[in-house]
Structures are given as C-alpha cells and as structure tokens.
Amino acid sequence: MTEPTRLLTLPESELERALLTAGRSYTAPGSMRANTLLALGLTAAATSTAPSASVASRSLTKAAFSKVAITMLVIGAAALPIWLYLRHAGRSPVALTPPANTARVSPAPSGTVEPVMDPPGSVPPATQGPSVESQPSSPAPSVGIPRAEPRPASTPPLAAELAALDAARTSLSHSDPSAALVALDGYSRNFPRGRLRLEAEVLRIGALAKSGQTVAARKRAEAFLRIHPDSVLASRVRSYAGL
Amino acid sequence: MKLVSRPSERDTRLRAMVDRYLDFVARVLRNAGTPEAELDDDVQRTFIAVSNRLDDVRPDAEKSFLLQTALRMAAHARRTLARRREVHDSDAQLRIQGPLQPEQMLDQKRARELLDNVLEEMAIELRTVFVLYELEELSMTEIAATLRIPQGTVASRLRRARADFRDRVRALSGSTHAEVGS
C-alpha cells in the first residue's frame, strides 16, 4: 500500500506549515525528566524541598559512599571512648540511642495523620492517634554528647535505606506485594526517621493496593495527598490507589 | 557488607526508556489531547504503567507499548476534560474568530494553541490517525498495528483526517484553494 506524502513536505500554506511544525517539535519541559524519574523511584538530583528527592539519589557513586563510610568510621572511633567513659560514669548517652519518634510526636491536627512516619506494623493512618511532623527541620533534643552518631559507623545510612527500599521495590515489581510489605516494615523499623520515608510510604501504598488491601491503600493515599498535595510523588500515589 | 546496591537491570532499562522516549511520550500525549497542565502527571502515569508491566514488554516493543499507553492516557484526559467543559470557557478566548495576521501565524506559541484548537475539533478516530501519521511519522502499517485496525481503515481515516485538517486550517487562514493531495 503506497503511503501519501506527508503534509509537511508540501504544505499548502504557511499556517499549515506552522501548525504541523508546532505539532512535531513539541519537546518535554526540562523538569519533566526529573519528575518522571522520581515518580519511577529512580531519582536523580537532590532538591531541598523534597526530602525523598534529596536523598533518593542513585547518582551517588560508590566513591562517594566510600567517603561517607570512612568519615563515619572515624567519627565512630572517636565517639566510642567517650561513650564508654560516660557509660562507666553512669550517664545515659541519650543521643546515641534516641527513642524513636518521641521528640517529634504531636497531637494530630483535625484528625490528620502524617503517613510517612508510621511505626512498624502499623495500621492505616485513620486508625491512629498521634501524628509526627513531616519535615525533619528541628533537631532532636540531645543530652550528653551532642555530636554522637546515632547509627553504626559501618553502615552508611543512605545506602542502607536505598538497599531496603530496593528490596521492597524489587518485590513489588515481581508481583510479590507481601514481601514488599515485609521489607517496608523492616525499613520503618530500622529507619524510623529515614530520609526516604516518603518514597517508602508511596511503595507501601502500592504494595497495599497490589495485595488487595485497597481500602487501606486508599486511606493512606488520601492522607499522603492531604499532606503532600504538590509532591512529585502525588501522581504515583494517585495511580497506585486509583484516585 | 554491600554498601550500595547496583542499579538493577530493571532500573537501568527504565531510565534508558525515559531518556529515549520522554519527548515522544510527551508529544503524543499533547497532540492526542492531554491538556498542558496535566501533561507532567500523564507522562509519569504512562511510564509508571509501563514500569508495572515491564517484564511483559519486549525491548523491541517498548515504543509501541508506550504509544498505546499514552493514547489510552490521552483518551482518559479528554474524557475528563469533556466532563468539566465549563473550565474551558477561558480557552474560548484563544479561538480564532477570523483570518490571521502573518505575524500571528509564525508565532510558535500561537501555532501550538491553534493546532490544539484544530485537533480538538476533529473526530477522535481521525485525530489519532492524523497525529500518528503526520506528526509522529509512523507508517500506516505501524498505525494499524498500534490501533489494531485494518490498514484499509487507517488509509480511509487518514484521507478524511487530512481533508478535515486542511479545511479547518483554510478556515483559519481565510484560504480557499487547493484540495488535499495524496
């Protein structure tokens, strides 16, 4: 079957040429690539306004992580004698093992619940009482050693967080939402203030939806969208929850 | 202990798809009727949909899969738009009431707005074939496979779509000559 010559090859007017050219030359705005990668959980550049975006970067090289690991080892080595001394002196090194969330819990405003800081194994947000601030802006109160590192020096937190979420994402992509939920529970347990908690919450919504817990997924999605209506992750949340 | 998980093949593939087809997906969505304001979301939804089915998509069928998904997204966007038509009252101001001045014709942004208006007036089955053939430069065989319709139907729709498009453009420019050639 012969195909007709395309109109732009022989336009009958300048207007026709302009319209067809406009249709062919449309290109995606600059921010669209970053937003799309982020929505896919692939993410890219850090931004100060999106906690998940700022830390979900996989563009960090192994060299960068190695530097982080070395730095933390040095800090850990320096802190260890001080911690032992304080322990010996009977003082509690509070900053080394802060109780999860205690400094940040506040009454829930009008019944809303921050969906990204749920304790492990928690039920959907609507059934919970307290909420936790979504933005980690204020430092946790510290007593004793102010610069103590809360995590083991041998585990770069960001890498570990990424690994935990990768496990959940992989399970989800292999149609195993139950395993994804287990991985996400582990993430919440190990990183109660994780910097990728928004991403974790989005994955949890996806896992709940895929496992047939659509009501729970929807509740969490609605809570997420209430608190983060303009998040770049919002469209993904809507897609998962069918909103 | 493994400090950094290597990007999986899946992630690498997804990233490559975004790099390769982002403009294509955005353009198809836009030309097929997704409003500019919703384009970002629909592009994301398209890639998420493909991501969810990635294991089912052959590497040589990625573009086709994205195209079909984008067309479905655009159809959904058009239905949504149709349900809230009143929102588009403001768009009426963009519509052309008479022949255009030359400088208006050459303005790229204006051309985009005019193209939106022309495409929006076309019947959807004609619009889709027109967009795929004239703007995406797909072959008629590819269009038939994508839309799952016979090639004869593609040819028929394309002929009518081109005539319809030219009629509408002539009406915009005030021109009255020439028939659609083939």
Side-chain angles (χ1 to χ4, degrees):
Chain A
M1 180 179 293
T2 53
E3 306 211 336
T5 306
R6 290 186 167 80
L7 295 183
L8 192 53
T9 306
L10 289 170
E12 69 171 25
S13 68
E14 279 307 306
L15 179 59
E16 185 175 288
R17 182 197 303 277
L19 265 56
L20 292 169
T21 302
R24 283 192 187 185
S25 63
Y26 189 89
T27 55
S31 60
M32 193 175 279
R33 179 181 180 277
N35 290 344
T36 303
L37 289 175
L38 197 58
L40 290 168
L42 295 177
T43 105
T47 64
S48 58
T49 54
S52 61
S54 67
V55 291
S57 171
R58 286 166 192 246
S59 61
L60 289 176
T61 62
K62 281 190 173 182
F65 280 115
S66 297
K67 287 178 183 176
V68 172
I70 291 169
T71 303
M72 296 188 69
L73 278 169
V74 170
I75 292 172
L80 185 61
I82 301 171
W83 182 78
L84 288 172
Y85 169 78
L86 291 173
R87 187 179 176 198
H88 182 70
R91 291 174 60 182
S92 172
V94 175
L96 283 174
T97 54
N101 297 342
T102 51
R104 308 179 69 76
V105 174
S106 62
S110 63
T112 61
V113 179
E114 161 60 52
V116 299
M117 294 286 287
D118 295 326
S122 63
V123 290
T127 64
Q128 297 182 6
S131 74
V132 185
E133 296 170 19
S134 60
Q135 300 299 325
S137 54
S138 60
S142 63
V143 179
I145 305 168
R147 269 295 285 122
E149 194 59 44
R151 297 179 180 90
S154 61
T155 307
L158 182 56
E161 282 191 53
L162 279 170
L165 290 191
D166 270 349
R169 191 181 298 114
T170 302
S171 298
L172 202 54
S173 67
H174 287 90
S175 303
D176 190 356
S178 300
L181 287 170
V182 170
L184 290 168
D185 285 345
Y187 173 85
S188 299
R189 198 161 44 243
N190 295 328
F191 307 100
R193 293 185 193 176
R195 285 168 290 173
L196 298 177
R197 59 192 185 281
L198 280 177
E199 173 67 19
E201 179 61 14
V202 174
L203 287 171
R204 184 180 291 278
I205 290 167
L208 286 169
K210 282 193 172 182
S211 67
Q213 301 178 62
T214 52
V215 175
R218 201 177 181 89
K219 281 183 178 176
R220 295 188 88 105
E222 287 169 352
F224 184 99
L225 294 172
R226 207 162 39 238
I227 298 167
H228 307 287
D230 300 320
S231 168
V232 293
L233 299 169
S235 64
R236 206 164 131 215
V237 169
R238 289 191 198 97
S239 171
Y240 278 149
L243 295 174
Chain B
M1 177 179 179
K2 192 167 79 170
L3 297 181
V4 181
S5 60
R6 273 175 179 271
S8 66
E9 285 182 20
R10 174 190 173 76
D11 289 358
T12 304
R13 185 180 171 191
L14 273 175
R15 190 181 291 273
M17 285 174 69
V18 171
D19 288 340
R20 188 170 181 186
Y21 297 120
L22 183 71
D23 281 342
F24 168 71
V25 168
R27 192 171 56 242
V28 166
L29 284 167
R30 191 73 187 85
N31 288 329
T34 296
E36 181 83 44
E38 293 170 28
L39 191 58
D40 209 352
D41 278 359
D42 271 5
V43 165
Q44 291 175 33
R45 287 193 188 104
T46 300
F47 278 100
I48 287 170
V50 173
S51 167
N52 291 338
R53 298 272 313 272
L54 196 60
D55 294 340
D56 302 329
V57 182
R58 293 194 322 271
D60 62 348
E62 288 174 349
K63 186 176 181 182
S64 173
F65 197 97
L66 282 164
L67 173 58
Q68 290 179 345
T69 308
L71 289 175
R72 279 199 299 274
M73 292 288 171
H76 179 74
R78 285 194 307 270
R79 285 195 297 271
T80 304
L81 201 59
R83 281 198 293 269
R84 45 185 163 105
R85 264 299 168 196
E86 68 279 9
V87 175
H88 259 37
D89 286 347
S90 59
D91 285 359
Q93 297 169 6
L94 299 176
R95 297 183 191 284
I96 300 303
Q97 301 299 322
L100 296 171
Q101 299 302 311
E103 62 272 17
Q104 288 178 306
M105 295 180 186
L106 299 176
D107 179 77
Q108 185 72 11
K109 184 170 181 295
R110 187 65 168 165
R112 179 70 243 183
E113 292 170 354
L114 290 172
L115 178 64
D116 285 344
N117 289 341
V118 169
L119 293 176
E120 195 177 325
E121 296 295 326
M122 294 172 72
I124 186 57
E125 69 273 12
L126 301 188
R127 173 182 185 160
T128 303
V129 170
F130 182 85
V131 165
L132 296 182
Y133 189 82
E134 297 293 348
L135 304 182
E136 292 306 323
E137 300 183 82
L138 265 59
S139 69
M140 290 169 66
T141 306
E142 289 172 318
I143 295 171
T146 299
L147 301 180
R148 295 172 185 168
I149 55 177
Q151 285 195 37
T153 305
V154 174
S156 165
R157 288 183 185 178
L158 181 60
R159 192 166 49 247
R160 285 189 288 145
R162 286 155 60 102
D164 188 32
F165 178 81
R166 284 202 152 160
D167 282 347
R168 294 180 191 284
V169 174
R170 282 187 209 120
L172 285 180
S173 62
S175 167
T176 56
H177 63 278
E179 293 296 316
V180 177
S182 61

